[in-house]
Amino acid sequence: MKKINIITVILVSSLFGLVSCVDLDITPKSVLTGEDIYTENGIKAYVAGLYNHLPMEDFHYDTDNEGLQAGYFVNLNVYSYWNSTGEMVNRNNVGRKRHRPGYWSEGFKIIRQANTLINDLPNYPALADNSRAWIAEAKFIRAYVYFQLAKRYGGLPKIFEPQVLDSNDESSLWVARVSHADTYDFILADLDEAIADMSLTSETGRANKYVAAAFKSRVALHAATTARYGSMKFPDWEVDGVLLEGIPSEKANGYFKQAWDAAKLVEGHYQLHKDNSDKTANYAEVWEKAEGNKESIWIRKYDYTMWAHSFDAMMAPPRMTTTYGDRYNPTLDWVELFDGLPINPATGHFSAFDDNGDYIVYDNCHQLWDGAEPRLRANLLLPGEMVKGGYKVDLRAGIFSQDIDPAVRKFKKFSRDDGADGGNYRSVTLEGQTNLFATNVILNSTADPRTQTDLYEVNGVRIYKNGLDGPKMSNNGGNNTLTGFFGRKHMNIAMTQPQTALFESTQSWIEIRYAEVLLNRAEAAIELAQSGESTYVGTNLLQDAFTIINDLRDRAGATLLTDPTELSTAPGHTNWTKPGTHGIGSFVEAPTRGLQIVRVERYKELAFESKIYWDLIRWFTYDTQINQYRKRGLYSFMFSKGATVDAAGIPDGKYIYDAKNTESGSDRITYPVNDYYEGIPSNELKNNPLLQKNRNQ
């Protein structure tokens, strides 16, 4: 099965040199009906241009920048809503970031172009052999854009014909919004028609039947969960008898079935990547070999002849890039979701202590991670790993003075990890203890970790007090990881430091991969089973979800479920700061334990892919899960006694690990309940009096 590479093609200027007219930026139809367009090559270029302008939240999406299209197609992606979901944080983005508001007119430009193609192609008999497939493809594109709008605004104007301005009556362009449910219904109908008429395979840059089916599983799942959970959050928003925000709950199961059916249709045409027996390396190949594996369903391709991006320069550790860097710091809250780490089952939190309550001492910088879930290992740049042309990752928050023997002296926890305290190591002293930092039992540098000069000498060996790659603590300078972690997903770790510069990265963006489709199917199956429909089209739904989750976990090297009954209706674990049953996976809220298991799996599998943000919105848990939330990190301390130093000056020795809130970027963040829907842009309301406002406008 060919992968779908979204290519950049320079089109004739008429394709997107659009003329603004009232609220929908109408282009005169005569611009698009020339014989240079309605030829086979012209249509291919035209469709490629539509793909090129699709609003994907990829390497060029920045939530703090208007860009060309409300945050889309920005040169440098610094601000991301990955930082607002508990996935990660960076020094430029320590607060809450919403998606960039205002995406409307640019979306309707693309919809108009798709409508023009759908409307006009039947008028060109010479193109009849391919026109049906092209029309189906245009419907897929129209559905993609409408979905991006629907998940922001709810109900939308249904415009399926190219509008023509009547100079004597501008009201001819005014279109009211249809209901939220009707909007999803016409999007799904477009996708059904696309699936029916698209080819089974496609050339580079084109969608096909199974791409459309995969995308339909995403759309239908969003509609289904909106129907099930939206009205539980607040009353649906109805104007003039039209339900604009909210979908009747009785429609939920119908949408869940559509999601399951669409995902099932993809089965056998794509598959999880499992070509490498090394599970860590195999998982990394999902993005490192995105264009060559069988998991990628739809990708946006980057290369020097088309687009390049700056992900490596922006996200790599500062020591390993020529500019910027350090903006990719996964949180401990996310890391704790994975298997193979010392996690307290009563809280779901990291807890590396022995039976006496003393810190466990690890023999070297990588021992803690040796038994961690391979999927996690592939997602992080781990201490001691060689990356970026020979740089060894060096992470350490401080060292114990040389008179401290780890075999003799033991330590109880010396920081608070209660989700509430924002203090730093030097300012917080627990009851009955002395401050190990103020008394120089633990030493750390006040300098930028990359330029430390106050090295600590032990038996003639000079040791960096802090890791050269951080973490950034409150008392040291420079910029580095805030959490003690650097992310790896999407990164080209083979790119050398001199090569790691702005606009030099060409990794492809994976918009849809088969793992997401499987998770869509598993979630729909659990939702249906827990609402009383245990079987569907002859399939035991809990067994189906159980098999899917274990398939994903097996590929990831995670612990397998033992029985479908684990996907139960028992209440989900709650965050340790809230009443209820606490435990593994409690950071991710869910009404039942079965749904929590699949939601945690999504957090682990789809992190840093612009999916989790929209999951929290469609689950309607964003405002309660991310409520007065402080990001947490994991901080390592090395015993200088017995430590060794390699030829590059990087030390290694025995380590302990401490979990706490970050010291920089530790402000609380909360997702406002009124942000689940975006207000209709004010200029659109002004230009189209029939557009109804959303709640709280």
Side-chain angles (χ1 to χ4, degrees):
M1 179 62 59
K2 274 196 172 182
K3 307 303 171 294
I4 309 305
N5 301 319
I6 300 179
I7 61 175
T8 303
V9 176
I10 300 175
L11 302 178
V12 291
S13 61
S14 62
L15 285 183
F16 282 93
L18 302 182
V19 179
S20 178
C21 185
V22 196
D23 65 316
L24 297 177
D25 293 301
I26 304 303
T27 304
K29 288 182 65 179
S30 60
V31 172
L32 299 173
T33 57
E35 295 304 319
D36 56 338
I37 299 299
Y38 285 96
T39 65
E40 184 168 347
N41 288 336
I43 293 298
K44 285 182 178 179
Y46 183 89
V47 171
L50 294 177
Y51 278 118
N52 185 40
H53 285 73
L54 287 181
M56 289 186 184
E57 284 137 14
D58 62 354
F59 298 126
H60 281 172
Y61 182 68
D62 190 315
T63 62
D64 214 45
N65 196 313
E66 285 286 356
L68 295 178
Q69 301 182 22
Y72 296 103
F73 309 112
V74 177
N75 286 333
L76 300 179
N77 181 335
V78 178
Y79 297 93
S80 169
Y81 49 52
W82 302 353
N83 295 279
S84 300
T85 60
E87 294 168 77
M88 58 170 274
V89 65
N90 70 47
R91 62 182 169 86
N92 286 107
N93 198 175
V94 298
R96 182 186 70 89
K97 283 294 175 184
R98 194 185 186 195
H99 65 269
R100 182 71 191 185
Y103 184 75
W104 181 280
S105 63
E106 292 293 338
F108 277 103
K109 286 180 184 179
I110 302 172
I111 289 168
R112 172 170 173 81
Q113 300 297 344
N115 286 342
T116 299
L117 195 65
I118 294 165
N119 184 73
D120 287 358
L121 262 176
N123 299 325
Y124 291 83
L127 301 174
D129 289 346
N130 295 317
S131 62
R132 186 167 180 168
W134 279 328
I135 288 171
E137 197 164 1
K139 289 180 178 179
F140 167 79
I141 289 168
R142 181 170 67 186
Y144 184 88
V145 177
Y146 258 122
F147 176 61
Q148 291 290 62
L149 294 165
K151 64 187 184 182
R152 287 163 165 77
Y153 301 108
L156 296 165
K158 181 181 179 181
I159 302 173
F160 274 22
E161 297 286 339
Q163 292 181 297
V164 179
L165 176 63
D166 182 342
S167 59
N168 297 316
D169 182 14
E170 67 175 22
S171 68
S172 63
L173 298 179
W174 299 347
V175 181
R177 299 163 66 189
V178 302
S179 74
H180 201 167
D182 286 346
T183 297
Y184 272 108
D185 288 343
F186 74 65
I187 294 171
L188 292 167
D190 254 357
L191 290 171
D192 284 338
E193 292 175 18
I195 291 167
D197 290 340
M198 278 180 153
S199 61
L200 302 181
T201 60
S202 54
E203 63 189 64
T204 299
R206 305 281 289 275
N208 62 47
K209 177 186 185 79
Y210 302 108
V211 174
F215 181 63
K216 183 186 175 184
S217 75
R218 181 191 294 177
V219 174
L221 190 64
H222 201 108
T225 46
T226 299
R228 176 142 296 164
Y229 300 110
S231 59
M232 297 181 186
K233 183 62 60 175
F234 35 59
D236 294 330
W237 179 247
E238 184 174 309
V239 178
D240 298 329
V242 180
L243 192 55
L244 298 175
E245 293 179 10
I247 298 173
S249 59
E250 60 268 19
K251 294 179 72 70
N253 277 8
Y255 290 129
F256 282 126
K257 289 175 181 177
Q258 288 195 61
W260 192 93
D261 286 337
K264 183 70 172 176
L265 182 60
V266 182
E267 186 177 66
H269 301 281
Y270 297 93
Q271 62 190 53
L272 294 178
H273 178 67
K274 296 182 179 180
D275 290 353
N276 193 326
S277 60
D278 181 326
K279 289 184 182 290
T280 300
N282 181 78
Y283 192 78
E285 288 173 358
V286 170
W287 63 88
E288 290 176 349
K289 298 182 178 181
E291 296 174 51
N293 67 53
K294 299 174 183 177
E295 184 165 342
S296 298
I297 295 176
W298 192 22
I299 68 177
R300 170 170 274 165
K301 182 176 173 59
Y302 288 83
D303 67 37
Y304 291 119
T305 65
M306 298 185 287
W307 283 351
H309 58 85
S310 302
F311 189 85
D312 289 279
M314 303 298 293
M315 302 299 188
R319 195 166 55 107
M320 305 177 195
T321 175
T322 60
T323 184
Y324 295 104
D326 81 18
R327 291 167 170 84
Y328 193 5
N329 311 156
T331 68
L332 178 58
D333 305 283
W334 177 74
V335 168
E336 287 169 336
L337 299 175
F338 291 82
D339 298 329
L341 296 174
I343 302 295
N344 183 342
T347 63
H349 278 196
F350 184 90
S351 182
F353 298 96
D354 62 21
D355 292 341
N356 295 319
D358 298 321
Y359 285 99
I360 294 172
V361 177
Y362 292 87
D363 290 337
N364 49 55
C365 67
H366 58 79
Q367 185 183 11
L368 171 68
W369 307 104
D370 288 345
E373 182 177 320
R375 176 168 47 183
L376 174 62
R377 292 173 54 83
N379 266 293
L380 298 176
L381 296 178
L382 293 172
E385 288 185 338
M386 301 296 293
V387 297
K388 291 288 182 183
Y391 284 84
K392 181 185 285 187
V393 180
D394 185 32
L395 292 165
R396 183 171 54 263
I399 61 174
F400 284 90
S401 62
Q402 60 183 314
D403 59 327
I404 304 299
D405 186 341
V408 176
R409 188 167 176 186
K410 304 298 180 181
F411 295 90
K412 306 293 184 184
K413 184 164 178 58
F414 47 74
S415 72
R416 293 195 185 99
D417 184 23
D418 57 6
D421 186 84
N424 61 63
Y425 280 118
R426 291 183 176 273
S427 67
V428 174
T429 304
L430 300 188
E431 185 177 353
Q433 295 189 16
T434 57
N435 190 296
L436 301 180
F437 299 82
T439 57
N440 292 325
V441 173
I442 295 179
L443 311 170
N444 57 12
S445 176
T446 59
D448 182 331
R450 294 169 292 173
T451 59
Q452 296 174 69
T453 57
D454 56 338
L455 278 67
Y456 186 66
E457 188 167 324
V458 181
N459 297 326
V461 176
R462 302 185 74 217
I463 297 175
Y464 291 111
K465 297 175 185 176
N466 291 74
L468 294 179
D469 300 311
K472 166 75 173 127
M473 309 305 288
S474 62
N475 70 314
N476 59 26
N479 300 310
N480 243 307
T481 171
L482 306 183
T483 63
F485 300 112
F486 279 107
R488 176 182 169 184
K489 183 181 281 189
H490 307 300
M491 195 173 291
N492 180 358
I493 63 171
M495 184 182 241
T496 65
Q497 191 268 355
Q499 294 170 331
T500 305
L502 297 179
F503 311 114
E504 292 294 328
S505 294
T506 58
Q507 302 93 301
S508 294
W509 173 261
I510 308 173
E511 176 63 10
I512 305 177
R513 59 188 178 95
Y514 191 53
E516 181 200 348
V517 175
L518 286 175
L519 285 164
N520 294 346
R521 177 173 150 190
E523 184 178 343
I526 295 170
E527 288 278 8
L528 286 166
Q530 293 192 349
S531 62
E533 300 201 31
S534 60
T535 61
Y536 175 60
V537 292
T539 300
N540 181 304
L541 291 173
L542 279 188
Q543 181 65 48
D544 188 56
F546 170 80
T547 301
I548 288 169
I549 292 170
N550 271 353
D551 195 20
L552 286 159
R553 289 188 172 193
D554 177 66
R555 189 270 291 272
T559 303
L560 302 184
L561 298 175
T562 58
D563 192 89
T565 57
E566 291 182 67
L567 302 172
S568 72
T569 57
H573 296 161
T574 59
N575 186 283
W576 63 340
T577 63
K578 300 175 183 178
T581 303
H582 304 146
I584 303 296
S586 59
F587 178 68
V588 182
E589 288 191 3
T592 70
R593 186 63 187 142
L595 287 170
Q596 188 167 53
I597 286 171
V598 75
R599 291 182 183 186
V600 166
E601 205 64 32
R602 290 185 74 92
Y603 248 88
K604 293 163 67 175
E605 183 68 32
L606 302 178
F608 322 122
E609 298 183 26
S610 300
K611 306 295 189 297
I612 303 302
Y613 174 87
W614 296 108
D615 282 345
L616 291 175
I617 285 176
R618 68 181 177 84
W619 294 330
F620 289 86
T621 57
Y622 213 149
D623 66 302
T624 51
Q625 180 174 317
I626 305 299
N627 186 303
Q628 295 294 296
Y629 165 60
R630 289 187 189 273
K631 302 173 181 73
R632 296 167 55 245
L634 186 65
Y635 304 102
S636 61
F637 298 91
M638 188 186 75
F639 291 89
S640 63
K641 185 178 182 65
T644 60
V645 176
D646 68 11
I650 306 296
D652 198 7
K654 295 182 182 296
Y655 275 86
I656 65 169
Y657 292 84
D658 185 60
K660 66 183 290 291
N661 296 326
T662 60
E663 294 194 359
S664 297
S666 64
D667 294 347
R668 297 178 185 274
I669 63 171
T670 294
Y671 184 87
V673 69
N674 288 328
D675 277 5
Y676 282 103
Y677 293 98
E678 183 181 335
I680 306 298
S682 58
N683 62 312
E684 306 299 339
L685 293 171
K686 179 181 178 181
N687 290 332
N688 179 358
L690 294 184
L691 279 181
Q692 308 95 320
K693 292 182 179 180
N694 267 347
R695 179 191 284 108
N696 298 317
Q697 277 197 272

